[in-house]
Amino acid sequence: SWLSKKERKMQNIRTKPHVLIVDDDERIVDLIRRALLRRNYRVSVSFDGIDAEGAVNDSDIDVMILDVRMESWDGPRLLRQLEETRRRIPTILITGQGTTMDDLTADRGENVRYVFPKPLDLDRLIFAVDALRHESDRAEPVAAGVRS
């Protein structure tokens, strides 16, 4: 059937994998966002957990990249909230200096698949997003855990 240019564009947008980046560091967000856009991902951005919770509830997020420590709501709090509402979103945690192993293992829940330290290895991060996108396509549960 014939679709207008605008309809084709909207159809294409809906089929692109959707990644939510949650971090309060605008430089990190911009770096990841640009890399994902180059790989043809649809990208949403939240700078705190409260905003991210709204984005998760209002969108079709395929993968979430989530900072562990943020000023307002931190990553673990958002993960607990997702668990309570039974939202299953494959998640990559990113963490900077000062994060302990307890921070990474406490209350991670089943959504977390990878953990990356800052400064980020952007190639490995994008590779992980690609892997989780395919996992999301299959909709098979995967055991939570740190992968290297």
Side-chain angles (χ1 to χ4, degrees):
S1 71
W2 182 83
L3 296 174
S4 71
K5 186 175 182 178
K6 183 176 180 180
E7 289 170 324
R8 281 193 309 273
K9 183 176 181 181
M10 290 305 297
Q11 188 176 44
N12 186 36
I13 287 172
R14 283 192 296 271
T15 60
K16 288 182 180 181
H18 191 183
V19 177
L20 173 63
I21 306 168
V22 186
D23 196 323
D24 56 358
D25 185 331
E26 290 184 32
R27 292 171 299 156
I28 296 285
V29 168
D30 190 53
L31 179 74
I32 298 169
R33 183 185 62 78
R34 284 186 286 124
L36 289 169
L37 289 173
R38 282 193 304 270
R39 299 222 6 123
N40 208 28
Y41 281 94
R42 193 166 38 124
V43 179
S44 295
V45 171
S46 295
F47 293 101
D48 63 50
I50 296 169
D51 187 40
E53 183 187 24
V56 163
N57 290 329
D58 296 338
S59 297
D60 56 336
I61 307 296
D62 296 303
V63 176
M64 180 168 58
I65 299 172
L66 176 63
D67 190 15
V68 172
R69 291 185 187 240
M70 292 178 282
E71 288 293 318
S72 57
W73 268 33
D74 63 4
R77 183 172 177 183
L78 178 60
L79 288 171
R80 284 192 300 275
Q81 189 67 26
L82 291 175
E83 291 289 321
E84 288 174 13
T85 59
R86 301 196 183 280
R87 281 301 306 263
R88 296 189 67 141
I89 300 173
T91 300
I92 298 169
L93 287 181
I94 56 177
T95 180
Q97 284 186 315
T99 303
T100 67
M101 194 49 95
D102 289 340
D103 293 329
L104 298 178
T105 56
D107 299 319
R108 278 198 0 218
E110 61 186 31
N111 286 323
V112 175
R113 304 300 199 275
Y114 296 92
V115 177
F116 285 94
K118 293 178 185 175
L120 293 171
D121 179 334
L122 203 53
D123 290 334
R124 289 187 72 203
L125 179 69
I126 300 305
F127 182 82
V129 171
D130 288 342
L132 291 179
R133 182 199 71 208
H134 294 298
E135 174 188 317
S136 178
D137 290 344
R138 289 191 312 271
E140 295 173 2
V142 173
V146 177
R147 295 183 183 166
S148 55

